[in-house]
Amino acid sequence: MRQTMMQRVGRPAIVLALAAACRGTKAGAAPPQTDAPLAITYPSHIAAGGAAPHGATLTNPYAGDTAAVTAGAALFTAMNCDGCHGAGATGWVGPSLADGRWRYGGTAGEIFSSIYYGRRQGMPAFGGIMPAAGIWKVVTYLQSLEPPNDVPTESWK
Amino acid sequence: MSAVRSEKQFLWNRQSPRADGMALFAQWSDDRTVSFEANMMKVHLTSVAVGAACVTAVALAAVAFTPGAIAGPRITVAAASDDGEWTMPGKDYASTRYSGLSQITPANAAHLHPVWSFSTGVLGGHEGQPLVVHNTMYVVTPYPNTLYAFDLAQPDYPLEWKYRPAVSPNAVGVACCDAVNRGAFYADGKIVYNLLDGHTVAVDANTGKQLWETTIADVSNGETTPMAPFVVKNRVLVGASGGEFGIRGWVKGLDLQTGRVVWTGYNIGADSELLAKPGQFKPFYDHASNLGAATWPKNAWQTGGAPVWGWMSYDSTLDLVYYGTGNPAPYNPEQRAGDNKWTTSVMARRPEDGTLVWAYQFTPHDSWDFDATAEMVLADLRIAGTMRKVLVHFDKNGFAYTLDRTSGQVLVAQPFVQENWAKRIDLETGRPVVDSSKLTGASRGNVKNICPTLEGGKSPASPVAYSPRTHLFYVSTSNMCMDYQAVPAAHIRGTPYIGANSPYYAGAGGYMGAFVAWDASVGRKVWEIKERWPVWSGVVATAGDVVFYGTLDGWLRAADARTGKILWSFKVGSGVVGNPITYRGPDGKQYLAVYAGIGGDWFLLAGDVRSDDPADVRPPADFAKDLARHTSQGGIVWIFAL
């Protein structure tokens, strides 16, 4: 089971820390946000006041599907993802996607968003040319990768 | 390490337009440029050694300030003939990187020591070189492409100004191999350089104010712009990278005064778009028309690469600009049957209107990513008893070429590193005699043991130097081989268009690099210094018969130009992929300047990647496991003196 840094720190700890830092603010007492457009949740982000905004939590329809892992790996090459992220997604000009760590969040929904919308620093938005099913298969492939054994310590001894 | 010495290094007068004491003015003059003026008239200073780390001298100024005459603005006239300055990337239009300064000699080079350093705060590969014009040093960083102007006429070299352009971060991910910048060009009071995201800017060399900005390239189409512009007369010549994104390579000629694009000459496609005009385009070996399109499958040239990201040279007598073109796209050659002209070629154009006069292709139907973007050094050499106007080029493919630069005829072509993809270069046809067992392609599977690698027998980003005193070329080389597995690639606009995996390993002998002295008259190695890792820095040669280069593990070295003996080494804190320069300071002394800051493909291969990002951790390449044990990322500008 991979862990992101935020997952290791844990959301409750962040909530407590923020609650302590923002005296006078009641954690969890956010107003309803029914007037805001629904957006994707980013559970690794810090929530002001300890109250996470309303948002959609995307569910990977292929979670645990080994055939989707294989299909996602093929798409990773066919869509030229490996040209930036390297063979096996171990990193090249683009960051490693196989180290168990994520710039923009490592939940299935966060990874889906990164591929669908693109990211700054040149990550193209693939949502205009890939159907959602294909993006989910790539997500399934990336979440199946095991981090290399020299994360976090690289030793020359 | 040599100790920092305590001596009076600065004692001179400097006149300033303002005369109100030691006040330091920092004012926002616009949204990009911060201007500094320190006003002092007579400066006496001593250096103080700091710490065991022996980093640099900290100047303690005892200032005797004399209000007085108010001078006019700093004079910023180009003085390329003045060996005290360094106004363009290659030192001169011939790209010799040779300086006539001679204070540093084999007898005293061991006394070199650092006198100043400056962190750029940028982690990308610090390729390129500073400029020194009228006692100001200009430094361009990798993305975000900040331009610094340091006042060499004051102690501690404070900033006169810095210019911070708005560069799109998208370019960082589209640049194939790190967000590098190869430097600026000084002309007509302007510092001209490229931003990574497809813009050329001209900045007033005196004030730091932007004079013009021109969009030259399209990042969303795979184009980025790390090369240094090249200014000839009233034209600014620029090109774009993107051989890994299937761009269609070009060179543009901009008006120096306004930045307006005057002409665009493509490297591939129909003759008319190459600016190859009937009766004026006369390649030495190829006589058919429209070869830039006819040597490709239908329309494949439209995404065929031929980027321009290296260096340019100019012969004012012949009125020709020379530059090299990069690889054909994609890397899988079976998708582009034919010679793929004019990829991996040298092009000779008229600077005024871009007219193509001749071209020569080093690696027809390149199967190995052998870009020909390395510098073209112009020299007059005696070849077989006759003085010839030649162009010398050390290609990624491992051969050193000596060409007649009036015609493009190959006079000498010999391997300068271990290579096995070609048996020789046929001087009758100008074509390599290829070992067919080393041809790559998706149907050929994993082709083993090809030398050199696609990093090149020499990196095009690491220019050589030529000394007219020794008549030798000084070359940073790589001794590596590769396996090459091509696969079919689909062109999707805005994504990489590659189609090959190509792991490297050390070539025969086990060392991965060497610093070489080369006789281009006959094509012969004179001496070499073996290095553990590929040598990836540029070179400067001097009239003191000392040459300077740096190593990937962060050593700056001085070597005897005649014997190859290492005279001095200093660990500069990060691997050297930039190009050392030398200049005369306001005090009359010879200085040496260089960037530290490993990068280019080496930040990708060393495993020490994105050292500012804990969300990106990866192992080093198998062949370079130890490199990150000896160096890490981070840019530093260094200045040394005796």
Side-chain angles (χ1 to χ4, degrees), chain A residues 5 78-80 83-84 87 90-96 99 101-103 119-122 124 126 129 148 150-151 154 156, chain B residues 169-170 172-173 175-177 490 492 494-496 498 501 601 604-605 610 613-620 625-626 628-629:
Chain A
M5 291 191 73
M79 300 308 294
N80 299 333
C84 285
T90 53
W92 184 241
V93 173
S96 170
D99 56 2
R101 301 179 178 192
W102 299 89
R103 249 183 220 177
R119 296 287 181 187
R120 72 199 294 272
Q121 300 199 13
F126 283 87
I129 59 168
D150 59 354
V151 176
E154 183 180 6
W156 289 273
Chain B
N170 276 324
V172 174
C176 80
C177 336
I492 303 170
T495 75
I498 300 179
N501 288 320
D601 277 357
L604 304 169
L605 294 163
R610 313 286 188 207
D613 185 359
D616 187 2
V617 183
R618 59 180 87 168
K625 280 194 184 307
D626 266 8
R629 193 179 187 185

Side-chain angles (χ1 to χ4, degrees), chain B residues 52-245:
Chain B
C54 181
V55 176
T56 187
V58 174
L60 272 185
V63 178
F65 175 71
T66 311
I70 294 174
R74 179 184 295 269
I75 299 166
T76 49
V77 175
S81 59
D82 180 354
D83 266 326
E85 302 202 321
W86 198 287
T87 64
M88 63 179 80
K91 177 65 169 67
D92 48 41
Y93 275 132
S95 295
T96 63
R97 292 181 186 266
Y98 170 82
S99 168
L101 299 182
S102 58
Q103 289 177 10
I104 301 170
T105 66
N108 64 21
H111 299 300
L112 281 165
H113 64 275
V115 296
W116 183 84
S117 64
F118 182 88
S119 167
T120 65
V122 177
L123 297 180
H126 284 59
E127 295 186 355
Q129 58 289 307
L131 301 179
V132 174
V133 187
H134 202 263
N135 295 335
T136 298
M137 175 177 285
Y138 299 95
V139 169
V140 181
T141 73
Y143 173 90
N145 300 143
T146 301
L147 171 61
Y148 291 106
F150 297 99
D151 188 349
L152 300 180
Q154 292 197 53
D156 196 42
Y157 308 152
L159 281 175
E160 297 172 23
W161 46 261
K162 60 182 170 184
Y163 165 80
R164 301 191 290 181
V167 189
S168 167
N170 276 324
V172 174
V174 178
C176 80
C177 336
D178 196 4
V180 301
N181 181 282
R182 302 203 168 92
F185 198 110
Y186 173 85
D188 189 33
K190 303 172 181 65
I191 300 293
V192 186
Y193 73 105
N194 287 334
L195 312 181
L196 189 64
D197 67 350
H199 293 86
T200 305
V201 294
V203 175
D204 186 305
N206 191 34
T207 66
K209 298 291 179 73
Q210 179 180 299
L211 300 170
W212 52 258
E213 176 174 9
T214 299
T215 302
I216 56 167
D218 181 359
V219 172
S220 68
N221 197 33
E223 294 176 332
T224 53
T225 39
M227 80 173 279
F230 190 73
V231 182
V232 178
K233 296 186 273 192
N234 203 32
R235 287 288 173 272
V236 178
L237 275 64
V238 291
S241 299
E244 285 65 44
F245 280 74

Side-chain angles (χ1 to χ4, degrees), chain A residues 45-75:
Chain A
H45 293 187
I46 294 170
H54 288 281
T57 301
L58 301 183
T59 305
N60 181 0
Y62 298 100
D65 181 342
T66 53
V69 170
T70 306
L75 280 169

